[in-house]
Amino acid sequence: MKKHNFSAGPCILPEEVLKGASESVLNFNNDNLSLIEISHRSKPFVEVMEKAIKLVRNLLNVPKNYAILFLQGGASLEFLMTPYNLLSLEGKCGYINTGAWSEKALKEAKKLGEALIVGDSSDKNYNYIPKNLIIPENLDYLHYTSNNTIYGTQFKAYPETNNTLVCDMSSDIFSKKIDVSKYGLIYAGAQKNMGPAGTTLVIVNKDILGKTNRDIPTMLDYQTHISKDSMFNTPPVFSIYVSMLTLEWLQNNGGVEEIEKINNTKAKILYEEIDRNPLFIGFAEKEDRSTMNVTFNLVNQDLQEKFDLLCNNNGINGLKGHRSVGGYRASLYNALPLSSVEHLINLMQKFEKEI
Ligand SMILES: *Cc1c(COP(=O)(O)O)cnc(C)c1O
């Protein structure tokens, strides 16, 4: 039996997607060739790329003046591409620092110019989302991380700003409805909620590009990739294909609207159990709790070995918390079924009775 996979990333993908992915490696489109041995400029693959882009556009209602790109280098390269493409030589940008990923993004921006911290929750090991921020009005852009994968916190509202909004949505894209028109740029590494590692989704408003008076290295320039439809160089065909299958699966299951309801239910019942069960305690502030990554711990850490054993013996994978938070982290990405969450809750209740 397949394990209940709570891994934070790379993460669980739907069973039918994994099947489609493995078939494509042996025999793609019944052409007796493998997906990974054909030209990326051949008709079958160009169709894959076009379909993936169309699915993103439909699922998130992406407006026409936004380009949809499948790039490489992970979300981590976007930390650098963002300032290269949006921060002018004499300009300033702002970052809301809600954890390790925001910090890494900020570090890259500082290499290219003036980057201000306009909100910060490091005083409590990032267990909350800073609010009531005073954000300068003349920024080239404001960057934030919508879901903090490590700490289990999530923005429940868009930051109030007139500046161009840039968002790292690596760990909650496609998990809930968003209004893309509020953003200048959205990026997300595939491997949290979309597909296997290897590609990064970028959604960018074309009107904000070409204004920094910088000499941008060719591969780091969004306009390079827009002008070549994400095929300036060889794209990561496997990762894009499997992402396309996942997006198709999402669309066939009612799209973002339907998955959001299920995601809310999964998170709700697990948080309820954490709050009810006297053995456990949540990490993130209640109002900022993530629906994607649920962070919690045992009140009595001496019980850890026993609880870990119970989980291991019952098919649970990937529950260990990030080392900077400790405890446990249950990642409830789109493909994780409700039954896996119910299984975990049953184990927590069983543990309470046994102890
Ligand atoms: C995992 C993660 C990243 C890093 O993504 P890579 O694709 O590995 O570079 C960045 N931001 C967030 C929010 C993440 O969860």
Side-chain angles (χ1 to χ4, degrees), residues 181-198:
S181 71
K182 290 210 181 301
Y183 296 91
L185 173 77
I186 293 168
Y187 61 86
Q191 70 278 12
K192 302 283 163 54
N193 213 14
M194 188 171 76

Side-chain angles (χ1 to χ4, degrees), residues 8-9 73-79 101-102 145-150 168-172 187-192 197-200 293 333:
S76 298
L77 190 60
E78 298 311 309
F79 298 162
W101 295 120
S102 315
T145 313
S146 55
N147 182 69
N148 298 283
T149 325
I150 295 174
D168 175 359
M169 288 194 194
S170 291
S171 54
D172 66 354
Y187 61 86
Q191 70 278 12
K192 302 283 163 54
T199 194
T200 317
N293 310 98
Y333 297 116

Side-chain angles (χ1 to χ4, degrees), residues 81-139:
M81 284 177 79
T82 301
Y84 248 128
N85 284 267
L86 301 181
L87 178 60
S88 58
L89 284 172
E90 58 294 330
K92 291 182 195 136
C93 55
Y95 280 71
I96 306 179
N97 180 18
T98 52
W101 295 120
S102 315
E103 266 183 0
K104 286 183 175 159
L106 173 68
K107 186 177 164 205
E108 298 309 301
K110 280 188 173 160
K111 290 180 201 273
L112 294 191
E114 196 171 348
L116 312 171
I117 299 177
V118 298
D120 192 326
S121 54
S122 59
D123 58 329
K124 291 187 177 168
N125 195 19
Y126 304 111
N127 79 339
Y128 71 103
I129 297 290
K131 295 176 197 76
N132 304 320
L133 304 177
I134 297 164
I135 298 168
E137 295 210 341
N138 56 348
L139 301 175

Side-chain angles (χ1 to χ4, degrees), residues 149-168:
T149 325
I150 295 174
Y151 315 88
T153 63
Q154 186 175 33
F155 279 81
K156 303 294 167 184
Y158 305 101
E160 296 276 343
T161 180
N162 294 323
N163 299 297
T164 294
L165 203 51
V166 174
C167 189
D168 175 359

Side-chain angles (χ1 to χ4, degrees), residues 31-71:
D31 241 0
N32 294 315
L33 287 168
S34 169
L35 167 75
I36 54 178
E37 62 178 14
I38 59 169
S39 166
H40 56 286
R41 306 207 185 270
S42 65
K43 193 161 172 273
F45 186 74
V46 170
E47 279 174 10
V48 168
M49 183 69 99
E50 284 170 356
K51 203 164 168 188
I53 290 169
K54 201 166 163 199
L55 281 160
V56 174
R57 205 172 283 284
N58 288 343
L59 285 164
L60 296 178
N61 270 321
V62 179
K64 279 212 175 65
N65 56 325
Y66 284 65
I68 295 168
L69 303 171
F70 285 95
L71 305 182

